[in-house]
Short mmCIF file of all heavy atoms in Angstrom, two decimals:
data_model
loop_
_atom_site.label_atom_id
_atom_site.label_comp_id
_atom_site.label_asym_id
_atom_site.label_seq_id
_atom_site.Cartn_x
_atom_site.Cartn_y
_atom_site.Cartn_z
N GLY A 1271 0.42 30.16 6.91
CA GLY A 1271 0.87 31.39 7.70
C GLY A 1271 1.12 30.92 9.14
O GLY A 1271 0.31 30.28 9.74
N VAL A 1283 -10.57 9.98 -3.52
CA VAL A 1283 -11.27 11.08 -2.84
C VAL A 1283 -10.22 11.78 -2.04
O VAL A 1283 -9.44 11.27 -1.28
CB VAL A 1283 -12.31 10.49 -1.90
CG1 VAL A 1283 -12.98 11.66 -1.11
CG2 VAL A 1283 -13.36 9.63 -2.62
N HIS A 1332 -20.82 -14.06 16.42
CA HIS A 1332 -20.40 -13.14 17.43
C HIS A 1332 -19.05 -12.47 17.14
O HIS A 1332 -18.31 -12.14 18.03
CB HIS A 1332 -20.37 -13.81 18.81
CG HIS A 1332 -21.65 -14.49 19.12
ND1 HIS A 1332 -22.84 -13.75 19.44
CD2 HIS A 1332 -22.02 -15.76 19.13
CE1 HIS A 1332 -23.79 -14.62 19.64
NE2 HIS A 1332 -23.38 -15.87 19.45
N ARG A 1334 -18.19 -9.59 15.97
CA ARG A 1334 -18.21 -8.08 15.78
C ARG A 1334 -18.54 -7.46 17.09
O ARG A 1334 -18.89 -8.08 18.06
CB ARG A 1334 -19.36 -7.79 14.75
CG ARG A 1334 -20.71 -8.11 15.14
CD ARG A 1334 -21.75 -7.74 14.07
NE ARG A 1334 -23.09 -7.98 14.52
CZ ARG A 1334 -23.76 -7.13 15.21
NH1 ARG A 1334 -23.26 -5.95 15.51
NH2 ARG A 1334 -24.99 -7.41 15.63
N PRO A 1353 9.70 18.69 26.91
CA PRO A 1353 10.02 17.89 25.69
C PRO A 1353 11.33 18.41 25.00
O PRO A 1353 11.55 19.61 25.03
CB PRO A 1353 8.83 18.09 24.77
CG PRO A 1353 7.71 18.62 25.65
CD PRO A 1353 8.38 19.29 26.83
N PRO A 1367 15.05 12.93 24.32
CA PRO A 1367 14.44 12.90 22.98
C PRO A 1367 13.19 13.69 22.91
O PRO A 1367 12.43 13.81 23.85
CB PRO A 1367 14.13 11.48 22.72
CG PRO A 1367 14.95 10.73 23.77
CD PRO A 1367 15.13 11.66 24.88
N VAL A 1394 -8.00 -10.28 24.84
CA VAL A 1394 -7.24 -10.88 23.70
C VAL A 1394 -7.39 -10.01 22.48
O VAL A 1394 -6.36 -9.79 21.74
CB VAL A 1394 -7.74 -12.37 23.45
CG1 VAL A 1394 -7.23 -12.87 22.16
CG2 VAL A 1394 -7.43 -13.23 24.65
N PRO A 1404 -0.80 -0.74 12.54
CA PRO A 1404 0.44 -0.16 12.03
C PRO A 1404 0.94 1.08 12.82
O PRO A 1404 2.18 1.20 13.10
CB PRO A 1404 0.10 0.19 10.62
CG PRO A 1404 -1.02 -0.67 10.25
CD PRO A 1404 -1.81 -0.83 11.52
#
Side-chain angles (χ1 to χ4, degrees):
V1283 176
H1332 305 290
R1334 64 183 186 85
V1394 169

